[in-house]
Amino acid sequence: MVLPHLSSRRMFGRDAELEALQDARRALSGRRGSVVLVGGEPGMGKSRLLGEFAATLRGGRSPHYALGESLEDAPRPFGTWRTALAALVQRVPATLDNAPPLVGRSLAALIPFSVVDRDGLLPPSDRLEKAELFTGVLHYLRLVSEKRATVIALEDLHWADVSSLELLCHVAPRIGGMRLMIVATYRDEALQPQHRLFGAVAKLSRADTVRRILLEPLAERHVRALIDDALGDTYALTDERIRAVLDRCDGNPFFAEELLGHAVQRERGGTSSLPLSIRSLTLDRIAGLSAQTRRL
């Protein structure tokens, strides 16, 4: 049996959060840089919100946009920042032409393949002090955003390495007068004292340039709209099965879509077990509990 994958083409119930991101972007014209932390449970729509926001950054004098990701299965120092900085260097290479040597050396330490042909780079045997590296990256971001407003998205901070978090904490309070916006997503379940993200978010929250958005579960009317959009004219479900999806997803849009596909599959005589994606995500969330609690 071919398992249906149902997904809504539209985002529902996040108008206020999207407008908050737009407000932060519009503030860049007045040199009011900021960091926006977007938190929420897995599946609550953090990446979808970020994608919808990024889609608005097009045309005319739209801001430079660069995406950096934290990889759960391939962590490395400053990994969250490397792809974002490489994307900026590729998009506006002329920024490095008259940059101070420290900027080139700092970027060469992080993304050597992106700046190998430029002068003043860090020799392979040299090492930069952390303070010098942070200063060089911050100076580069100031140079880039001076020419045009710039938006950097950092995905999945809960998987970020310590160095990436330290760099973000260094940059955040120093961008108030810049045309730079940083949007970072994270799972709020990671905000436990034993997790490295806990101290970083606490420190970031003390900066005037930082604001937080927490994605709450969707209201039932928004989940219904999502279901209708995902089903479209292709699939049909009984009111009973739709009611079951509404009750079980608990306002989580990812759960809603997965349960919806599962409901369509059952309508066709498929399995009654929970979707693997939901089972896996649930097991991940309870992994930190005691063995006795997990069994319960």
Side-chain angles (χ1 to χ4, degrees):
M1 174 180 290
V2 178
L3 302 181
H5 177 73
L6 301 183
S7 179
S8 172
R9 295 159 295 179
R10 298 170 53 199
M11 182 178 68
F12 295 94
R14 302 299 185 203
D15 292 345
E17 292 83 354
L18 182 59
E19 184 62 23
L21 292 177
Q22 296 285 22
D23 285 344
R25 178 190 61 80
R26 287 189 284 265
L28 298 181
S29 61
R31 294 185 177 275
R32 298 193 302 275
S34 65
V35 174
V36 183
L37 302 176
V38 181
E41 296 178 5
M44 203 57 74
K46 300 179 293 297
S47 296
R48 181 66 180 266
L49 175 64
L50 183 58
E52 293 286 332
F53 172 63
T56 68
L57 307 178
R58 296 173 182 169
R61 292 285 295 175
S62 61
H64 295 310
Y65 178 75
L67 174 65
E69 297 178 289
S70 306
L71 302 179
E72 180 184 19
D73 53 354
R76 58 175 177 165
F78 300 104
T80 310
W81 286 90
R82 290 176 189 261
T83 50
L85 291 172
L88 286 178
V89 169
Q90 182 177 16
R91 181 164 184 176
V92 281
T95 303
L96 289 178
D97 290 342
N98 299 310
L102 180 60
V103 170
R105 296 177 66 221
S106 298
L107 293 179
L110 297 176
I111 48 172
F113 296 108
S114 298
V115 289
V116 291
D117 295 326
R118 299 184 179 275
D119 297 330
L121 301 183
L122 178 69
S125 59
D126 285 359
R127 290 292 183 269
L128 281 174
E129 296 290 339
K130 182 183 294 185
E132 294 178 303
L133 182 66
F134 286 8
T135 299
V137 171
L138 180 63
H139 199 135
Y140 173 69
L141 296 176
R142 183 176 290 112
L143 290 174
V144 171
S145 59
E146 187 67 28
K147 297 293 184 181
R148 181 181 294 191
T150 301
V151 176
I152 296 177
L154 304 176
E155 278 260 52
D156 298 323
L157 281 189
H158 48 278
W159 291 327
D161 64 284
V162 173
S163 299
S164 292
L165 295 175
E166 289 177 342
L167 180 54
L168 178 59
C169 289
H170 177 83
V171 169
R174 294 171 172 83
I175 64 175
M178 298 165 57
R179 296 195 294 172
L180 175 65
M181 174 184 176
I182 299 174
V183 187
T185 66
Y186 68 94
R187 293 181 179 178
D188 60 357
E189 64 185 31
L191 294 185
Q192 303 295 329
Q194 67 272 19
H195 197 287
R196 57 183 174 272
L197 184 62
F198 181 86
V201 171
K203 184 175 182 179
L204 288 166
S205 299
R206 293 194 290 269
D208 294 337
T209 54
V210 177
R211 66 189 69 178
R212 292 175 63 187
I213 296 174
L214 181 62
L215 299 188
E216 301 285 356
L218 295 179
E220 182 172 307
R221 68 181 187 278
H222 293 136
V223 179
R224 281 189 177 275
L226 181 152
I227 289 174
D228 291 341
D229 191 71
L231 289 174
D233 298 326
T234 306
Y235 302 99
L237 285 177
T238 64
D239 292 341
E240 181 182 3
R241 291 200 187 279
I242 290 178
R243 182 71 255 171
V245 172
L246 290 168
D247 291 341
R248 300 179 75 186
C249 76
D250 201 25
N252 186 305
F254 172 75
F255 281 12
E257 291 180 344
E258 293 296 298
L259 289 169
L260 192 60
H262 174 63
V264 170
Q265 180 186 358
R266 290 189 65 188
E267 191 89 352
R268 298 175 173 184
T271 178
S272 62
S273 61
L274 273 176
L276 179 61
S277 56
I278 294 182
R279 292 166 59 197
S280 174
L281 196 55
T282 303
L283 290 173
D284 282 345
R285 293 189 63 185
I286 68 173
L289 302 177
S290 67
Q292 181 178 0
T293 303
R294 289 200 304 272
R295 284 196 298 271
L296 177 63

